[in-house]
Amino acid sequence: MRLKRLVLPGKFVDAYVYFDFAWLFSKDGVVRAFDLARYCEKRLNGESDAAVALFSNNQLLPQYQGGREASALTQLLSSDEAIEVAAPDVDNFSYIFRAGAGCRSVLDVRFYNRRAFVGADNGIQQFLALGREDLQVREIGFSASANLRHQRVSDLPARQIRGRLGAVAAACGPAGGVVGFGAATDDPNWRITFKPFAERCFGIELNQHAVSCIAGSTAVERYGVSGQKVQQQPTRGVFRDDEQDSVELTDVKGRDFELQDAKINRRIADLPGANRTFLFKDTLWVLADDGFYYFRLAQNDERPVSRFVKMTKPPERVLSASGSKAGIIVESDDQVFVLNQNIWRTLLSEPVHSVRGYPSSKRFQHLITAVTRDRVELTAIL
């Protein structure tokens, strides 16, 4: 496993890489769209092209499989030193927006189909995810005149947000789970309407067959969905980083998987000291006393429940878990680990506000972003 870090100094509460920018959220409600490629091109001289491939567009990495380009990437990765962005350059290479109180106490952020959904203690905000061609170059480093069209779309405190298959779902803890449909539209004026579906929801996931939620520390509930087949559209320039889906969800139904969920929950209870459950797109992971177990979720009630596979237990107490191409990422009280080839490797040795990977992104699938108390780290892992 080889890695390279790009460090953005500053006090931020969350960060998300999408299209042209690293979107940086501050507790004062200011949102910065940091132009990754422009920074690499202007400040990294001979390493700029390889750095752009690592931190701005992973789709360029295949060209580094041979020849001069491969040598340039090898040279960039040969040094363990991080690329340190100077503090003034965080603003100098950012478009700066005032998003107001809705983006101050951020719990989770999710970008999907040119929109951002920001979950905070006081509700969920939706705004446009602008690209470089939407903005005036002369405004980089200053307050941008473009409108993010931010608007509160829910009063519930979203702890976790997911966007996929034309739907956006949010886990709001004791306040329940909500889901909205129609997010695949290109209409810039579209606003989501959330529909409640679960009474308690501490984790959430979407796939073609269900909206799944964690109703308790070791209790899984899955709700059936309606959907329709859609024709995959040609790539729309730079604005197609999300997965191309052949199905679009249109509604959430009742507990279509209640029988199977009961079996799953009994199997979880049988694991020695099972205490935490985490959902991913097609798998469910359970933290127990003697290991980290996972199994692939069956897609309908007729199929038998899959067997658990036992993996190495994380070295410390797990606060959160997320996916990445490099492996499962877990956050503990004061460290971040990634499970790579069944070995837990340390990424950070300090507490973080948030950490996430981008396994379904084409541009950023090799990146992990972590927000600490004084900086954002973008770690490219190959």
Side-chain angles (χ1 to χ4, degrees):
M1 187 174 80
R2 298 176 297 166
L3 58 85
K4 190 70 177 179
R5 303 178 194 269
L6 178 71
V7 178
L8 305 170
K11 295 185 180 297
F12 303 105
V13 293
D14 214 331
Y16 202 104
V17 289
Y18 194 67
F19 292 151
D20 299 312
F21 307 127
W23 291 85
L24 310 173
F25 296 83
S26 301
K27 64 180 180 180
D28 58 1
V30 175
V31 180
R32 292 168 174 82
F34 180 83
D35 193 323
L36 291 160
R38 185 167 276 120
Y39 170 81
C40 293
E41 291 162 358
K42 296 291 185 181
R43 291 287 190 262
L44 300 185
N45 299 320
E47 296 181 324
S48 61
D49 289 346
V52 167
L54 277 183
F55 297 109
S56 180
N57 190 354
N58 294 165
Q59 294 178 105
L60 301 175
L61 284 172
Q63 73 186 47
Y64 288 88
Q65 294 177 345
R68 181 181 59 83
E69 289 83 0
S71 174
L73 180 62
T74 300
Q75 183 174 347
L76 181 62
L77 293 169
S78 65
S79 170
D80 291 334
E81 289 188 13
I83 299 171
E84 301 272 357
V85 178
D89 276 348
V90 175
D91 278 350
N92 291 340
F93 287 91
S94 292
Y95 297 92
I96 302 170
F97 305 92
R98 305 282 171 180
C103 291
R104 287 178 182 167
S105 180
V106 176
L107 300 174
D108 194 24
V109 176
R110 183 64 47 173
F111 282 65
Y112 177 64
N113 195 30
R114 296 204 63 181
R115 301 177 186 90
F117 298 88
V118 181
D121 286 331
N122 60 351
I124 304 173
Q125 292 267 343
Q126 175 183 331
F127 62 76
L128 286 179
L130 301 176
R132 190 181 289 126
E133 80 283 2
D134 298 312
L135 301 165
Q136 301 293 324
V137 176
R138 59 182 172 78
E139 292 183 341
I140 196 167
F142 303 95
S143 292
S145 58
N147 190 351
L148 294 178
R149 302 188 189 181
H150 51 282
Q151 177 182 331
R152 183 182 294 187
V153 290
S154 173
D155 294 330
L156 298 178
R159 298 179 173 205
Q160 186 182 53
I161 303 173
R162 289 286 182 266
R164 183 179 290 127
L165 300 160
V168 176
C172 304
V178 295
V179 61
F181 303 96
T185 179
D186 292 331
D187 180 2
N189 298 313
W190 176 84
R191 287 291 181 269
I192 195 166
T193 300
F194 282 111
K195 173 181 179 179
F197 70 94
E199 292 184 0
R200 292 165 59 84
C201 187
F202 298 92
I204 200 147
E205 193 53 82
L206 293 158
N207 61 39
Q208 293 185 17
H209 305 276
V211 181
S212 305
C213 79
I214 303 297
S217 58
T218 57
V220 178
E221 292 180 355
R222 289 183 296 160
Y223 295 77
V225 290
S226 301
Q228 60 186 15
K229 290 186 177 181
V230 293
Q231 185 174 0
Q232 293 191 358
Q233 299 297 318
T235 300
R236 297 173 297 175
V238 297
F239 287 111
R240 177 53 76 182
D241 191 44
D242 308 296
E243 287 181 306
Q244 292 262 13
D245 298 311
S246 59
V247 172
E248 181 178 326
L249 304 184
T250 56
D251 197 9
V252 62
K253 303 182 291 185
R255 294 290 308 281
D256 288 11
F257 298 87
E258 196 164 5
L259 252 171
Q260 193 184 66
D261 290 349
K263 295 177 185 177
I264 291 172
N265 291 332
R266 284 196 297 270
R267 297 282 288 276
I268 293 173
D270 288 340
L271 295 175
N275 60 78
R276 290 291 302 275
T277 309
F278 303 95
L279 284 170
F280 297 94
K281 181 181 175 183
D282 297 311
T283 57
L284 181 147
W285 290 69
V286 182
L287 186 65
D289 285 345
D290 64 340
F292 207 17
Y293 293 82
Y294 81 91
F295 73 85
R296 189 163 297 279
L297 289 165
Q299 301 303 327
N300 58 59
D301 205 34
E302 285 69 48
R303 290 177 56 183
V305 176
S306 305
R307 287 187 176 184
F308 278 105
V309 177
K310 183 180 177 181
M311 305 294 283
T312 307
K313 186 179 179 181
E316 294 190 5
R317 182 172 77 112
V318 177
L319 301 179
S320 71
S322 58
S324 77
K325 187 166 185 178
I328 299 296
I329 310 162
V330 300
E331 171 197 354
S332 71
D333 292 301
D334 53 11
Q335 292 196 77
V336 175
F337 304 94
V338 60
L339 181 62
N340 183 266
Q341 297 180 338
N342 204 25
I343 298 173
W344 290 101
R345 305 175 191 274
T346 303
L347 285 184
L348 275 171
S349 296
E350 61 185 287
V352 296
H353 293 308
S354 74
V355 60
R356 61 168 54 90
Y358 306 84
S360 62
S361 167
K362 293 189 286 290
R363 290 182 63 131
F364 302 111
Q365 59 185 300
H366 291 285
L367 277 188
I368 293 173
T369 53
V371 183
T372 74
R373 64 180 180 83
D374 61 359
R375 68 192 186 280
V376 172
E377 288 201 2
L378 281 68
T379 303
I381 299 181
L382 299 178

